Each structure stands twice: as structure tokens, then as C-alpha cells.
Amino acid sequence: MKNLFGEDVGKRARGATKTLRQKEALGCIACDLDRAPGAVKVINLDLVTGQKVFVWAQTPGARESEQGLELVGPSGQFLWDELRAVGITREDCDIQNICRCQPVTSVDGNTPTKRQIKCCSVHSAQAIQRNGGAAVVHLILGTIAGLELLGKLYSKAKAAVWVPQWNAYAVCADHPARVLRAGGKKAGWLYWNFKDKVKAVKAILDHPGRWGYVEAQDYGAVTTPREIIALAREVKKNVANGKRVAVDIEDGEINGEKAILMVGFSTRKGRARSVVLRHPEIPVDDAVIDALTMGVAALLEDPAIPKTFQHGSYDVNQLRDLLGVRVRGYVFDTQYAAFLWRSHLRTYGLDSLVGYFLQEFGDYKQMVAEYYPNLANAPLNRLVKYNCADCDVTKRVELMTEGKISLELLRVYIHAAFTLNAMEGRGPILDREALAKLKDFLAPRVEELTRQLKQIAEDPEFNPNTPAKVAALLYDQLGLPKPEDPKTHKPSRSTGKDALDFLTQQSRHPAIRLMQRHRKASKMLGALAGYEKSADMHGGELRTIWWLCGAATGRLRSGKSEKAEVEEGVMNFQNLARNVAMKNPLVSDVNWRLALED
């Protein structure tokens, strides 16, 4: 028998000692809670009967231990009330904890150890086996349960995760106990997000299978002149009723040339149409393509038709450059509207907005993920549904945010996006002479700081870039006070910036200042290497990506992911103003020294 970790828990090596056998074993026999005073097992595998909803919690509490049943305390009552509101009862669910005993041995009496969870994984594997694959959706409550069951798949930011081994979706929500501690139904964002996750469970239950909800929507392709005429009538009827139309494009390469593959329109929630202009599965018919293109152009260039885009500056520019269409009537953008409405979120792409507000769409962005970067390779049927879903989500976010933001401020963001897009095509020029001088100054400084830290650590192999080594030096060897972890409020061995700032207030030991200086100089050297890579990739100029949203203060953000910095040479410029030395190698003209000679 194997547990969730893929380990054979029935196999024991002959001749092994009893201690070794117990260490290798899993299940109750190997768990310290099996012998802990006051620990009560709440396993109930016989109650797992193959229901379509599987609810996973973390551990039993006092009420659960008393009654020998999962989720019967205050957290459970809160959960069942929310599920009952969408038509799901306790009887509709299989229920398990990932740790079947209340962790009475832990400091807080609530958090199980990794070993305890691993021992209990035997029961989790049995529970999944007893369910027999009947569950179409698993509701996982809390981070600890999510990490145990899903591992690297776990993310609270994702709407729903498809788990191939289960052939089902997993919806990851905050544990009800956290929502209750924050005020329950008065917990604001925390409660609304929990409620949306519960709605997602219901939507997946009603539309089982991967992308079942998307498949059930009123989506379709427009491929003939007659169909584009019908779509135009529908759009204009929608406008006559005071509504906007949501628009989204998909582009790709066909025969080595970039082209607009389709343009999608959504006139109302749950309905969208994609006008297919180019795709390898459709025979090339110039007359049909011209008719469809003219129909699309007539809709997009009509200023009387108000349009909604998601990050529309990209779509508008692509339509102009690849199709010769000049969009008019672009008055609403869901990326910026969502930011103005909920500025505390980190990202505002459609996949993120689905994760926050429209979890019923699940992981629909994965429908064509395997075909990036060229969506022309995606099957036409799947690409149409993907494009329609983009339009539908855009429409729903528009409906969700309109009336809650300033339309005048939104239009400022829409116009600013085009300016920033144009800025991304150019960048500051790298002055390699100034760069070389700065590197010649920093490299020896890093070496000297490293030498001094090695001397203090009395270790010639000491590496200031290794957190474990730094923690051992600061807290074990030097005995400096440990900073408090802001989450657990317990002493920590952190070596981050905040920890070093704390230590400078508690001690004057030179090692602290040396570490801070070493990190600053090393970081500058790393950034200079990025400068060179970006300049080498872009004809001597540095490049960045500008973002209007994502910073709660409203300031611009710059840069992309670490992967983009490596593969695309995209730099982060937003903190340059703080460091004059890092600005010096960036100039507007490589010949600037000639001005000094004059």
C-alpha cells in the first residue's frame, strides 16, 4: 500500500531494528500522537462513501474530538452554512482531516508537525481510494492541508487547480477558523473571497470535468459573412440598451508571419462569439476573410459602440498594426478598473482576476497553454472557446466594477497605457565606460567585505550569500538577539533586511554592518550584470516593462519576472532614483562626453 508520497508503507526491510522499522513506518503506530495523553482519533474512513464533493480540513478541534466527527465545531457550522446557501449539504460530501488527531503535543494545540501529517497520509490515501474517483471537486481548507494534498500544485491565488491523479478540480480556500477570527461575515475581503470559493465548488459540481463550466457557456465561432452580419445586429442591439461590448483578440504566426487569428465579442454574461479570420484548420478564402475583416472593422471603428478591453493598449495596437483597424470607442478597461476597485491585489491579469472573483472558470487559461508562444498551433475549437472565455470574463469584470470606480480616472489610465507601451520600445543607453569603472570599484569592495566576514566567522569557507551560514554566525557564534517573526510572534533566525535592521538597533557588532554593506555591493554588481545582458540583447539599450497597476500606492511598477530578466533582458527601473551610482552608466547619448569637450 502506498501513501500520498508514493511510499510503500507495507514494505519492511528484514533484519532492521525496531527503531528503524518505526522510523520508516507510517500510520498511527509511527506517530507520537498515538501515545499522547488526551489525543483522540477522528478517522471515519467508513463514512467516505463516494460523494461528488470531498471536503478536506486540517485537524479536529475540541468539539470534533468530543463527538468523533469532522467539522462539527464553530468552523464546521460556518462552513456548512455557506455551502448550504449554494445548495450543498453535509450529506453531499465525503469529509476528512489530513491529521486525524488534535495536535495536543504542539505549542498551540492546533498545528500538526510534518511527521504527524506524513504518518496520517496513509489514511488520506485510503480515503481517496474509498472515494473511488467519484469526487468531481475537492474543497481544501487551509494552507497546511493544501500543501499536504497538492504539493507544488497548491496556490491560494489560483481559482481551481486540476489534479490529474484525481481527475477532479481542487478549490483551495482559507480555513473557516481564520475567517471567523477575522469577524466571520463581517471579515470583508476574507469573507467575500471564501464565499466566492464556495460558489466555485457549486459551479464545478454542476459542470464536472476539466473546463466543464466553460464548455457549458454560450460560446461559438463566426466564420461566414452571414454570421458576422448577425453578430453586428446583436452588438448594436446591446448598445441600444446602454451596454458596452467586451472585445479580445488572439494573435499568432501563420507561415512565418504574425497575424490576428480571431477577434472575440461578448455582449452579455455567459455569451460570446469569436470571429475567426485566420487559422490553419480553415481553408483560405480571400472573399470570406475580406468580408469578416470588414465586419470586424465596422464594429471596432464605430465610436458609437462603447468597448471594453482587458489591458486594451496591446489589443488596440495589434489590431492597428496587423489588421489596419483603428479602434474607436474604447472607454473601459477591466485591468485598470479592477485595480481602482481593489488596489490591494498583486496582479490584475485575467487569470488572476478569475482566481480572485470568478473561480467558476477554474484554470481555463490552461486550455491553450501548451501551444504558446504560437496560438495558431492550438486546435480551432479549443482556441475559440478560450477566446470566448476571455471575452466573457472581461465582460463579467466590467459588470462587477462599473459604478464602483471613477470613469474619468479610468480613462486617464487607458490613455497612459499607450504612452507606456511606446516607452517600452526604447530605453536608456548603457555607457560601458562608466559601467566598467563602477564594476572595478565594486568587485574589490565585495572581496574585502567577504574577507572581513570570514575573519569574524573564523571560517575560510564562510559564504555571506548563504542564509544558513549567516544565521549560524549571527545567532549561534555571536549570540545576537533573534528578531520576532511578524506572523508567529516567536523568535526567528531570519537573516533578511528587516532582521539586520533590527540587529543594528540591538548591537553594534561590526558583522552586522559588514553584512549590510556586502549585500548592497553584491546586489549592485548583480544589477550591473543585468545591465550588460539587456544592452547586449537590445542594441546597446536597456529595456523594461511598465505596469500601471499592482502597487497599492498608485505608482508605476517596472520589470517583469526573474525569468524574463534572464531570457528577455527586461530590467527593473523603479528603484533607480534611490541610487545615483546605478544611474550613472545610463545615458541618453553615448557621445555625451563630447559636450564636455566643447
Side-chain angles (χ1 to χ4, degrees):
M1 180 177 66
K2 294 184 182 296
N3 67 359
L4 289 181
F5 297 85
E7 299 164 327
D8 192 340
V9 298
K11 190 176 181 180
R12 298 287 180 269
R14 290 186 179 183
T17 64
K18 180 179 179 182
T19 301
L20 180 61
R21 288 199 302 272
Q22 288 180 339
K23 184 177 180 181
E24 291 179 345
L26 297 177
C28 294
I29 192 173
C31 183
D32 60 335
L33 289 174
D34 188 53
R35 298 170 296 280
V40 177
K41 295 182 177 67
V42 183
I43 300 178
N44 295 326
L45 289 174
D46 57 322
L47 298 183
V48 178
T49 57
Q51 299 301 316
K52 291 185 177 181
V53 180
F54 207 131
V55 177
W56 296 89
Q58 178 186 300
T59 54
R63 193 74 58 84
E64 285 78 11
S65 296
E66 289 176 7
Q67 299 188 27
L69 202 61
E70 299 86 355
L71 292 171
V72 292
S75 294
Q77 293 303 319
F78 179 83
L79 171 68
W80 301 121
D81 287 346
E82 294 300 322
L83 284 171
R84 194 178 303 111
V86 298
I88 299 174
T89 66
R90 184 184 182 98
E91 290 70 30
D92 298 323
C93 306
D94 284 335
I95 312 162
Q96 285 283 292
N97 291 304
I98 57 141
C99 184
R100 276 73 183 175
C101 298
Q102 186 176 7
V104 293
T105 58
S106 67
V107 176
D108 60 3
N110 182 58
T111 306
T113 65
K114 291 182 179 179
R115 179 63 184 172
Q116 291 165 352
I117 294 173
K118 189 172 184 180
C119 289
C120 238
S121 66
V122 172
H123 303 311
S124 299
Q126 291 174 331
I128 291 173
Q129 187 176 22
R130 288 182 67 91
N131 178 264
V136 300
V137 57
H138 293 248
L139 175 58
I140 303 176
L141 304 172
T143 300
I144 292 177
L147 289 171
E148 157 65 5
L149 294 167
L150 302 180
K152 292 182 179 179
L153 288 176
Y154 173 75
S155 172
K156 285 199 297 185
K158 293 180 181 177
V161 178
W162 180 257
V163 185
Q165 298 91 329
W166 298 344
N167 194 36
Y169 276 113
V171 175
C172 303
D174 285 308
H175 197 284
R178 184 181 180 216
V179 184
L180 286 175
R181 286 195 298 270
K185 293 187 177 182
K186 297 180 180 180
W189 166 257
L190 203 63
Y191 172 66
W192 302 329
N193 189 257
F194 184 86
K195 197 174 184 69
D196 284 340
K197 296 291 179 71
V198 168
K199 291 178 181 177
V201 171
K202 175 61 173 175
I204 295 170
L205 179 63
D206 292 342
H207 306 93
R210 193 166 196 189
W211 309 313
Y213 184 81
V214 170
E215 297 279 359
Q217 304 308 300
D218 183 6
Y219 299 159
V222 172
T223 57
T224 67
R226 178 175 295 180
E227 290 172 337
I228 190 67
I229 292 171
L231 176 61
R233 289 198 194 102
E234 179 181 336
V235 169
K236 291 175 182 177
K237 181 179 178 181
N238 184 70
V239 171
N241 291 327
K243 305 297 183 182
R244 306 179 191 92
V245 58
V247 184
D248 184 77
I249 70 167
E250 308 302 337
D251 52 45
E253 284 191 9
I254 295 181
N255 298 326
E257 293 184 359
K258 196 166 186 180
I260 301 292
L261 304 176
M262 58 187 63
V263 181
F265 297 86
S266 178
T267 55
R268 64 177 185 272
K269 174 181 174 180
R271 178 176 170 82
R273 292 292 183 268
S274 291
V275 182
V276 183
L277 302 177
R278 300 284 300 278
H279 194 275
E281 291 182 27
I282 293 182
V284 176
D285 186 325
D286 291 339
V288 173
I289 293 175
D290 289 345
L292 293 174
T293 302
M294 289 176 61
V296 166
L299 292 173
L300 294 178
E301 293 182 343
D302 188 347
I305 298 176
K307 302 165 187 74
T308 296
F309 287 86
Q310 163 76 9
H311 188 58
S313 55
Y314 175 85
D315 293 42
V316 169
N317 286 337
Q318 290 295 92
L319 286 163
R320 178 198 62 203
D321 297 341
L322 301 178
L323 212 59
V325 172
R326 293 193 171 273
V327 176
R328 293 178 175 84
Y330 166 29
V331 297
F332 203 96
D333 192 291
T334 48
Q335 184 177 63
Y336 308 131
F339 172 62
L340 295 175
W341 179 45
R342 293 283 186 260
S343 61
H344 66 284
L345 306 179
R346 290 185 60 84
T347 56
Y348 292 86
L350 279 185
D351 53 344
S352 298
L353 296 180
V354 163
Y356 291 126
F357 306 114
L358 298 166
Q359 289 94 345
E360 57 268 30
F361 281 83
D363 64 338
Y364 87 94
K365 281 289 186 181
Q366 295 299 309
M367 293 181 80
V368 296
E370 63 188 288
Y371 302 102
Y372 281 112
N374 187 11
L375 291 181
N377 296 326
L380 179 60
N381 181 55
R382 185 178 293 188
L383 188 59
V384 165
K385 289 178 180 176
Y386 172 80
N387 178 244
C388 285
D390 273 352
C391 291
D392 192 6
V393 169
T394 300
K395 186 64 183 177
R396 295 187 193 212
V397 175
E398 174 211 300
L399 296 173
M400 188 185 304
T401 57
E402 68 175 346
K404 301 173 184 176
I405 61 171
S406 165
L407 293 180
E408 290 75 15
L409 182 56
L410 176 63
R411 292 187 183 111
V412 170
Y413 274 76
I414 290 173
H415 290 301
F418 288 97
T419 302
L420 291 178
N421 281 1
M423 289 168 55
E424 291 172 359
R426 295 298 306 272
I429 298 170
L430 180 61
D431 185 335
R432 294 184 186 269
E433 183 179 335
L435 176 80
K437 291 179 179 179
L438 187 54
K439 288 173 65 176
D440 289 343
F441 169 78
L442 288 171
R445 183 174 177 81
V446 170
E447 290 180 7
E448 174 59 21
L449 290 167
T450 302
R451 185 193 67 77
Q452 293 182 44
L453 286 166
K454 286 181 177 180
Q455 189 174 19
I456 292 175
E458 299 177 349
D459 179 6
E461 303 298 323
F462 178 78
N463 186 349
N465 297 315
T466 304
K469 289 276 189 180
V470 175
L473 170 63
L474 297 176
Y475 305 122
D476 299 336
Q477 188 172 339
L478 301 180
L480 298 177
K482 296 175 183 177
E484 180 183 277
D485 186 300
K487 293 183 179 179
T488 63
H489 301 293
K490 298 177 182 177
S492 76
R493 293 172 63 84
S494 172
T495 61
K497 181 182 181 302
D498 291 342
L500 292 183
D501 289 344
F502 166 79
L503 291 177
T504 58
Q505 300 172 13
Q506 304 297 316
S507 170
R508 294 184 178 182
H509 197 285
I512 305 168
R513 292 293 186 188
L514 289 173
M515 274 303 311
Q516 291 175 319
R517 292 167 185 164
H518 181 278
R519 287 186 179 176
K520 182 177 181 180
S522 297
K523 187 176 181 180
M524 290 173 68
L525 269 181
L528 293 179
Y531 280 14
E532 289 185 284
K533 184 176 184 64
S534 185
D536 289 342
M537 295 177 67
H538 301 107
E541 294 182 356
L542 274 62
R543 292 285 191 273
T544 192
I545 301 294
W546 293 106
W547 304 92
L548 275 165
C549 50
T553 57
R555 65 162 171 78
L556 284 177
R557 288 193 304 124
S558 169
K560 208 173 178 183
S561 62
E562 291 184 8
K563 182 179 179 182
E565 289 184 14
V566 174
E567 297 180 358
E568 304 171 28
V570 174
M571 297 300 301
N572 182 339
F573 290 159
Q574 66 194 33
N575 295 322
L576 274 180
R578 300 179 185 176
N579 194 324
V580 176
M582 294 300 290
K583 289 194 293 184
N584 282 341
L586 306 180
V587 299
S588 59
D589 191 326
V590 290
N591 298 313
W592 66 271
R593 290 180 179 84
L594 297 178
L596 300 180
E597 296 176 4
D598 294 341

